[in-house]
Amino acid sequence: MWVCGSRYWARARGLLRLCLLPASGRHEPKASSCSSSTQSSRVRALIYAHHGDPPKVVELKNVDLAAVGRSDVHVKMLAAPVNPSDINMIQGNYGLLPKLPAVGGNEGVGQVIAVGSSVTRMKPGDWVIPANAGLGTWQTEAVFSEESLIEIPSDIPLQSAATLGVNPCTAYRMLMDFEQLRPGDSVIQNASNSGVGQAVIQIAAALGLRTINVVRDRPDIQRLSDRLKNLGAEHVVTEEELRKPEMKNFWKNMPQPQLALNCVGGKSSTELLRHLAPRGTMVTYGGMAKQPVTASVSLLIFKDIKLRGFWLSQWKKDHSPDHFKELILTLCDLIHQGRLMAPACSEVPLQDYQHALEASVKPFVSSKQILIM
Ligand SMILES: NC(=O)c1ccc[n+]([C@@H]2O[C@H](COP(=O)([O-])OP(=O)(O)OC[C@H]3O[C@@H](n4cnc5c(N)ncnc54)[C@H](OP(=O)(O)O)[C@@H]3O)[C@@H](O)[C@H]2O)c1
């Protein structure tokens, strides 16, 4: 029996107990310490044993569950998205890398099936999401430790629940923690059709903030623009339009943004900086263009702009689990009020994971791939 390396990585943090069943026709190292399962062995998981191109290195395998310990929770996973961080983790380019082999997926929602005798916070039927990155959500069932999970209301839409723990949290924190914004103030962002971008648009609108949303041009730009405006975007402009000298007139009717949110880097972030108000802040949280952020000397000297970064994993390390739960409940309130919807999604059955992995890195798809278990 082959023991999944993530088991040890996760166990070190008291997270995940998982071992793999042998895959036929393949040499597998012997497990020395894998406890035999007392439960169903029909569990399937997306596993990678090497870093590389996700469609090539990720495989669907049968896994066996360990018994549920006193402080463990047996979870049936319901849905889990494919996020850029999942892709980067598999490629080996992320700030946090599990030992291999590992189960893919950092985010998702599951339903509690059974709990150990000392578990107090959760009961069968509850919905749970990962407390931190690295849990391995791309599997049909798993046994996790209680502290590795957070319970959420089960009366929100499945797609919202599956995508709640990363992007809306990032959007909310970036809007709250860097500039003291008041209703009527404006925020500019790029990659506005990303999962984070759609959450920024909606949360900003709920806070009374005005947004300028930059996207890459595409043949169906009007459809995308209409969709983002329906979410609450005040303006949607293309990268090319943002570079035009006429943009100067734009600020006659709108306050210059005090906050810019940069998901892209390269030229796109240089343009955001040009439009930032004096002493404003640009927060970089993604690097989709894989290009560095460049700020002109004159912007730094004459406008005294601030360049900052945000990483949700670091925010969680710096704050208590109760703070994170509070954040989740704030976002669930917005969902209940109809002010925060899931990003545009494509639901993909787990067995079609290759399609989801490929679609998640294609440009101009504008749809979050969600694996349905
Ligand atoms: N720091 C944090 O804590 C944190 C938290 C969450 C997410 N993130 C990061 O935020 C980014 C977005 O995540 P997500 O889940 O929202 O992504 P997503 O929903 O998959 O969307 C990806 C976005 O990136 C754009 N994009 C892709 N390649 C690009 C390029 N070469 N130049 C410009 N834009 C490009 C896409 O635009 P098109 O439609 O034009 O292709 C789309 O808007 C990722 O880098 C992710 O790792 C960071």
Side-chain angles (χ1 to χ4, degrees), residues 17 68-74 114-124 144-147:
R17 299 209 180 89
V68 179
R70 279 164 52 89
S71 55
D72 290 337
V73 181
H74 179 187
V115 298
S117 55
S118 62
V119 171
T120 52
R121 283 193 291 116
M122 289 148 209
K123 59 181 186 319
F144 299 116
S145 71
E146 182 182 18
E147 81 261 20

Side-chain angles (χ1 to χ4, degrees), residues 82-85 88 94 166-167 170 191-198 215-218 224 239 263-264 268 284-290 310-313 343 360 362-368:
V82 179
N83 285 325
S85 59
N88 295 153
Y94 196 65
V166 180
N167 288 344
T170 301
S192 309
N193 60 327
S194 66
V196 176
Q198 293 174 67
V215 292
R216 294 198 287 184
D217 202 3
R218 65 201 69 215
L224 176 62
E239 297 274 1
C263 174
V264 177
S268 176
T284 293
Y285 68 95
M288 294 307 296
K290 297 189 168 61
F310 179 81
W311 189 28
L312 185 65
S313 294
S360 73
K362 277 197 186 133
F364 312 125
V365 170
S366 291
S367 186
K368 178 74 68 191

